[in-house]
Amino acid sequence: MWIFGWKGESGFGAFSTAEDVTQGIDGTGLTAIVTGASSGIGVETTRVLALRGVHVVMAVRNTETGKKVRENIVAEIPDAKVDVMELDLSSFASVRNFAANYCSLGLPLNILINNAGVMAPPFTLSKDKIELQFATNHLGHFLLTNLLLENMKNTSREHKKEGRIVNVSSMGHNFAKKGIYFDKINDESSYSPIYAYGQSKLANILHANELTRKFKEEKVDLTANSLHPGAIATSLLRHHSFLEGVMEWVGKYFLKTIPQGAATTCYVALHPQVKGVSGEYFADSNKAKPSSFAKDSELAKKLWDYSLSMVAL
């Protein structure tokens, strides 16, 4: 489907853009948070949601860059509702601060898009002394989601409308060939940048699946899904200049554009076809099959408990 752009059951495929998959959808009255909204597919996700009438809060590490992105969006879409708030997902203190500030504004929350990420940096510890990819890609989003869940539950009850959590994972979750090394998360001697990336992206899928189990248990009108946006040349590759150059050349022929890369996120966040769908993994705006580890419910529970202990909730 990816190479040829064939359309799947949804009527969309790899060549579909974020505007294509949301055509005719009115998001007026909805409020969304998009993490990592100041670069790559986060910018396009924000722009297209705003185009469809959604009030978007850009959760970004660099607020100056975020404000420039907001200005560009408002220049194109004068009635766009877009706000910028500071969030550094590699810092639990920053995540807690963001969640407290957001909830103090009294805003509802219909859609949470956990989009931000880092890819394959040299071994680095976060501000909380946790390997940076696991801390940023999974634990930061895990904590953020938990801190915003009550708001989402209240919003879905009051608006009588389903709330959606969207975890942007990657087909790179397949790099985690042996699952998650819980006892070696911070082990520099065995660190592999690509394995650690795959492990964090596997965690994104397992997180959405365990949320789904809990939502069904609690009978709340919330869904959680994960997705692979596609192979896109974005700043994620900034730690690998050679790869970045290769991808730029290859990209002319094989990689998705950023509007195509943001399509699956916007589809899962807004499309009526996804109503009531939870615990699924999407690619090219269609349901897809993740790895066997990604479907392991016991691993999902273990990750949940481990994550709770790591963020000290």
Side-chain angles (χ1 to χ4, degrees):
M1 187 187 294
W2 167 52
I3 293 173
F4 300 106
W6 293 330
K7 292 180 178 176
E9 229 174 273
S10 67
F12 305 112
F15 292 170
S16 301
T17 65
E19 286 197 30
D20 293 337
V21 302
T22 57
Q23 192 64 46
I25 296 173
D26 183 5
T28 306
L30 299 177
T31 303
I33 290 173
V34 180
T35 69
S38 60
S39 65
I41 62 173
V43 174
E44 181 68 357
T45 299
T46 299
R47 186 188 73 82
V48 171
L49 291 183
L51 181 66
R52 303 304 177 214
V54 179
H55 176 192
V56 185
V57 175
M58 300 171 62
V60 299
R61 194 175 52 194
N62 186 326
T63 53
E64 286 311 305
T65 305
K67 284 170 186 169
K68 284 174 190 163
V69 170
R70 181 192 174 279
E71 283 168 19
N72 291 340
I73 290 172
V74 173
E76 181 198 338
I77 311 159
D79 57 352
K81 284 176 151 181
V82 182
D83 291 308
V84 179
M85 290 178 67
E86 186 177 349
L87 170 65
D88 178 355
L89 284 154
S90 70
S91 160
F92 296 154
S94 176
V95 173
R96 291 179 191 283
N97 195 45
F98 172 89
N101 288 343
Y102 185 87
C103 292
S104 73
L105 295 172
L107 288 171
L109 183 58
N110 306 91
I111 303 163
L112 173 60
I113 299 178
N114 291 320
N115 164 77
V118 291
M119 182 180 182
F123 183 81
T124 313
L125 292 178
S126 72
K127 292 180 175 69
D128 302 287
K129 308 295 182 213
I130 300 162
E131 188 278 313
L132 189 64
Q133 296 185 85
F134 198 76
T136 305
N137 298 353
H138 169 60
L139 289 175
H141 282 126
F142 176 85
L143 177 60
L144 177 68
T145 303
N146 272 18
L147 294 174
L148 295 172
L149 270 183
E150 278 312 305
N151 186 321
M152 292 196 77
K153 289 174 187 176
N154 291 338
T155 301
S156 74
R157 272 194 299 268
E158 288 164 18
H159 291 203
K160 294 184 169 51
K161 199 170 182 70
E162 171 186 278
R164 297 184 183 182
I165 295 168
V166 182
N167 283 357
V168 179
S169 177
S170 166
M171 70 181 294
H173 77 275
N174 287 291
F175 297 147
K177 298 280 184 197
K178 295 184 178 177
I180 296 173
Y181 288 127
F182 292 101
D183 57 343
K184 290 189 176 179
I185 295 291
N186 291 341
D187 184 9
E188 186 174 359
S189 65
S190 63
Y191 180 72
S192 156
I194 293 297
Y195 195 99
Y197 176 71
Q199 179 171 256
S200 71
K201 294 285 105 181
L202 171 59
N204 293 152
I205 303 174
L206 292 168
H207 177 215
N209 294 352
E210 184 63 6
L211 279 169
T212 294
R213 190 187 68 77
K214 289 179 180 294
F215 293 159
K216 285 177 180 170
E217 214 172 62
E218 294 174 33
K219 295 183 170 56
V220 292
D221 195 11
L222 299 178
T223 64
N225 292 291
S226 56
L227 63 94
H228 167 55
I232 314 147
T234 69
S235 61
L236 270 182
L237 291 167
R238 63 187 173 274
H239 298 290
H240 302 272
S241 53
F242 170 74
L243 267 182
E244 198 169 24
V246 170
M247 291 296 259
E248 206 171 293
W249 180 81
V250 171
K252 295 175 193 171
Y253 309 99
F254 296 109
L255 299 186
K256 285 187 176 187
T257 63
I258 285 176
Q260 290 167 345
T264 306
T265 302
C266 290
Y267 172 77
V268 176
L270 273 190
H271 207 284
Q273 286 178 357
V274 190
K275 183 173 168 52
V277 176
S278 195
E280 293 287 349
Y281 172 74
F282 290 80
D284 298 335
S285 302
N286 283 275
K287 287 181 187 174
K289 288 183 179 174
S291 71
S292 55
F293 282 112
K295 294 182 280 191
D296 186 333
S297 58
E298 287 307 310
L299 183 59
K301 285 179 195 166
K302 184 177 179 181
L303 174 67
W304 184 277
D305 292 339
Y306 177 82
S307 303
L308 278 179
S309 69
M310 291 292 274
V311 302
L313 269 175

